[in-house]
Amino acid sequence: MNSMLTPGHPALRLLQLRKQFILDVFLKVLPAFILVFLFFQRFTFVFSLNGYGCVEYVFGVLDKSDRSPVVGNLYAFSAPDLRPFFKLGTKMFKYNVAVPGDKVVITEDQKIFVNDKQLEQFGLPYAYTHFSKSPKDFSGKKILGSDEYWFLGTRFDSFDSRYWGSVSKDKVLGRVYPIF
């Protein structure tokens, strides 16, 4: 009996089918893997970065390559040292409301202005409870430096730049595209 497989032999056909299957899987999976790899080189998912709902969204996609804040857009950043309220390096996402060169004013009656335009009335609810200070102690005027940005949440009780001031550009992680 001849041990060589002839071209029509079932075992040879099975071997050819296996090779074709492996090649098909490789050619379909490899491009998908490359696309997923490239996606995560630039993007990542963010979910309630600071564990506290200061904006209306809790889940989004973070574009790590878009690190130059534009007013009105949502950005993630490593917060300044906010101990004991948050751990060092806590990541947050909030709306950018002022960029380098903008004038930010908090009045004694707790109104916030950027370049003489009043923002929504938020007040300073944590002045007494977290800092044992009067809201008047947070009043003042500042023109943002060349690498400073001012961020606000959308809630009255958001812990944001009203309390801790500007965020430097090197702390900005990227733009957040909200999903829900």
Side-chain angles (χ1 to χ4, degrees), residues 60-73:
V61 175
L62 171 65
D63 182 351
K64 297 180 278 189
S65 70
D66 187 352
R67 297 183 61 223
S68 294
V70 174
V71 170
N73 292 337

Side-chain angles (χ1 to χ4, degrees), residues 139-152:
S139 65
K141 175 176 89 169
K142 178 174 181 159
I143 299 202
L144 297 181
S146 63
D147 71 338
E148 293 180 304
Y149 298 89
W150 225 67
F151 292 95
L152 288 179

Side-chain angles (χ1 to χ4, degrees), residues 5-169:
L5 300 177
T6 59
H9 193 277
L12 184 58
R13 179 73 182 132
L14 183 60
L15 185 60
Q16 289 171 337
L17 287 172
R18 280 188 192 159
K19 285 181 183 178
Q20 187 61 44
F21 175 76
I22 290 170
L23 183 62
D24 286 347
V25 168
F26 181 75
L27 290 176
K28 291 175 183 169
V29 170
L30 182 63
F33 177 78
I34 290 171
L35 287 174
V36 168
F37 176 77
L38 291 175
F39 176 85
F40 284 107
Q41 288 297 305
R42 178 172 174 165
F43 301 99
T44 190
F45 294 108
V46 290
F47 181 78
S48 190
L49 291 176
N50 62 344
Y52 182 70
C54 294
V55 295
E56 65 273 28
Y57 302 103
V58 294
F59 183 73
V61 175
L62 171 65
D63 182 351
K64 297 180 278 189
S65 70
D66 187 352
R67 297 183 61 223
S68 294
V70 174
V71 170
N73 292 337
L74 195 60
Y75 288 87
F77 54 91
S78 294
D81 188 354
L82 301 175
R83 291 177 289 181
F85 310 111
F86 294 100
K87 288 193 266 184
L88 188 61
T90 294
K91 294 174 180 42
M92 300 182 168
F93 59 94
K94 300 186 185 294
Y95 287 95
N96 178 251
V97 297
V99 296
D102 284 351
K103 177 175 71 171
V104 177
V105 176
I106 300 177
T107 64
E108 287 189 8
D109 60 351
Q110 304 177 45
K111 292 181 178 142
I112 302 168
F113 293 85
V114 174
N115 297 328
D116 301 320
K117 181 182 175 193
Q118 185 175 353
L119 303 180
E120 286 188 48
Q121 182 65 31
F122 283 112
L124 293 155
Y126 295 135
Y128 293 115
T129 60
H130 288 58
F131 298 99
S132 300
K133 293 182 177 183
S134 165
K136 290 180 181 182
D137 294 331
F138 292 90
S139 65
K141 175 176 89 169
K142 178 174 181 159
I143 299 202
L144 297 181
S146 63
D147 71 338
E148 293 180 304
Y149 298 89
W150 225 67
F151 292 95
L152 288 179
T154 55
R155 293 175 36 151
F156 177 79
D157 58 351
S158 174
F159 197 57
D160 50 36
S161 287
R162 293 175 287 168
Y163 298 99
W164 33 263
S166 61
V167 174
S168 63
K169 184 172 183 159

